Amino acid sequence: MTHFLSQVPTFLPILMQGVYLTLLVTLGAFVLATVLGLVWAFMRVSGVAPLAWTARTVIVIVRGIPGIVTLFYIYFVLPDLGLALTAVQAAIIGLGIAYSPYMAEVFRAGIEAIDRGQTEAALSIGMGWGLLMRRVILPQAIRVALPPYGSTMVMLLKDSSLASTITVAELSLQGKLLASSTFENTTIFTLVALIYLAMSLPLTAFNSWLERRMRQAR
């Protein structure tokens, strides 16, 4: 323990350089996954067969491909097709796409949890589909979807380490490079684990708070 504590001031500042890219990739991918997830979810519940079928097909295909393969395809294959991206851009887009089906299912579950009678009543008084979603469905669906939505962000934060496979120098890659040059594997990877934990705990606590609020609001 004494050895570990004595090395923390030396290694921690170097590892913290990777935290910025970890957070950047996580937030960027989370925003993209949210937008795409909403699109897939709206298509699924639109009632238009071609849209629903397309969304289901996309969700099945993307969920069936490992996230790391998606990253490899975007970073290594797209340049052969004339579209070159930086490693950070590829990581954000790849993880955003990989997580969009899970977001879609979270949103769809929230929407479908709303009693169908409310939809029928709103349509009967002349509400259009867009107004129905904004005024009736989404405000209630958000309350249902928020807890799993928060959990997905925690998962995405941890999976941001996949970006290291395409040379993004985020936290896990910084730890690997530092360990390979110093051979202080125990100290460095313990610090890496603790930093990930420190980033995940506030999100987990916030998610737990949301779940309590949702239960109390029922």
Side-chain angles (χ1 to χ4, degrees):
M1 178 61 72
T2 302
H3 178 70
F4 172 79
L5 294 176
S6 67
Q7 292 185 317
V8 168
T10 301
F11 296 141
L12 186 58
I14 300 173
L15 293 175
M16 291 301 292
Q17 295 174 14
V19 171
Y20 166 73
L21 284 176
T22 293
L23 294 176
L24 177 63
V25 168
T26 299
L27 292 175
F30 192 70
V31 171
L32 179 59
T34 298
V35 172
L36 291 176
L38 281 170
V39 172
W40 308 143
F42 286 149
M43 290 172 67
R44 286 287 304 272
V45 302
S46 66
V48 180
L51 293 180
W53 181 86
T54 299
R56 282 197 299 269
T57 302
V58 170
I59 289 171
V60 168
I61 291 174
V62 176
R63 278 200 304 195
I65 300 173
I68 192 171
V69 176
T70 303
L71 291 178
F72 287 163
Y73 195 92
I74 291 174
Y75 189 61
F76 295 115
V77 177
L78 288 188
D80 293 341
L81 304 177
L83 180 59
L85 299 172
T86 67
V88 172
Q89 290 171 338
I92 291 173
I93 294 172
L95 289 173
I97 292 173
Y99 265 80
S100 65
Y102 304 101
M103 292 295 195
E105 293 303 287
V106 167
F107 297 138
R108 183 180 66 85
I111 292 171
E112 293 184 345
I114 309 307
D115 182 66
R116 187 166 181 81
Q118 297 186 41
T119 300
E120 294 172 350
L123 292 175
S124 69
I125 62 174
M127 274 193 181
W129 191 83
L131 186 60
L132 167 67
M133 281 291 169
R134 292 196 306 271
R135 294 284 183 86
V136 179
I137 302 299
L138 287 182
Q140 300 178 76
I142 287 172
R143 292 170 56 187
V144 177
L146 272 177
Y149 183 72
S151 296
T152 304
M153 186 171 190
V154 176
M155 294 168 56
L156 181 52
L157 171 64
K158 293 184 291 185
D159 279 352
S160 66
S161 60
L162 292 176
S164 65
T165 61
I166 56 171
T167 73
V168 177
E170 45 69 68
L171 178 58
S172 64
L173 183 56
Q174 286 281 14
K176 181 180 179 181
L177 294 174
L178 189 57
S180 65
S181 63
T182 64
F183 302 102
E184 294 289 349
N185 297 319
T186 301
T187 299
I188 291 168
F189 288 117
T190 299
L191 278 173
V192 168
L194 290 174
I195 294 171
Y196 273 114
L197 184 61
M199 291 190 291
S200 298
L201 284 178
L203 294 175
T204 303
F206 180 67
N207 191 53
S208 299
W209 176 79
L210 277 178
E211 290 180 354
R212 290 194 299 269
R213 287 295 299 270
M214 296 305 104
R215 286 196 296 266
Q216 293 170 2
R218 290 177 183 173

